[in-house]
Amino acid sequence: MIWVLLAACDKQEATGDTPVFYPPDEPGPWDVGSAVDTAPGSWGHDLTVQVWFPTEDHWPGPYKYEGIMEGGAYDGAVPACTEPHPAVVFSHGNSGIRYQS
């Protein structure tokens, strides 16, 4: 799981001091990879963790969530760590699923 945290590198494309804005309803400049890992929970249970990260890999097939639902991320892709990228940590809350958002 540590490799996933290291994959959160920051791409700053800025002119002067103004960062470039990418509309949230359009694809950004990076392809997306996804992987599943586990982390030890505080009560002794393993927690499933889904991670999305920028990648420069172009894979022929999309990631399949739970092996049934295809998404827009690539399965088995390698994180692009040639430069830093921002990281976001999100918890879906009670009665949600990790890939709902």
Side-chain angles (χ1 to χ4, degrees):
M1 181 142 133
I2 296 296
W3 68 270
V4 172
L5 297 176
L6 294 175
C9 327
D10 180 45
K11 181 170 175 104
Q12 284 292 327
E13 291 181 24
T15 48
D17 293 330
T18 307
V20 173
F21 173 76
Y22 297 106
D25 59 342
E26 295 179 16
W30 294 92
D31 284 327
V32 178
S34 189
V36 175
D37 206 341
T38 57
S42 59
W43 294 341
H45 297 105
D46 283 341
L47 302 173
T48 302
V49 179
Q50 184 85 38
V51 181
W52 293 269
F53 49 86
T55 184
E56 294 174 355
D57 289 343
H58 300 284
W59 294 86
Y63 184 88
K64 281 191 173 183
Y65 299 95
E66 299 298 334
I68 55 172
M69 193 168 79
E70 291 185 355
Y74 293 108
D75 188 19
V78 176
C81 286
T82 55
E83 52 191 288
H85 299 280
V88 176
V89 177
F90 170 77
S91 175
H92 57 69
N94 189 26
S95 299
I97 53 176
R98 67 184 183 275
Y99 46 84
Q100 73 186 31
S101 298

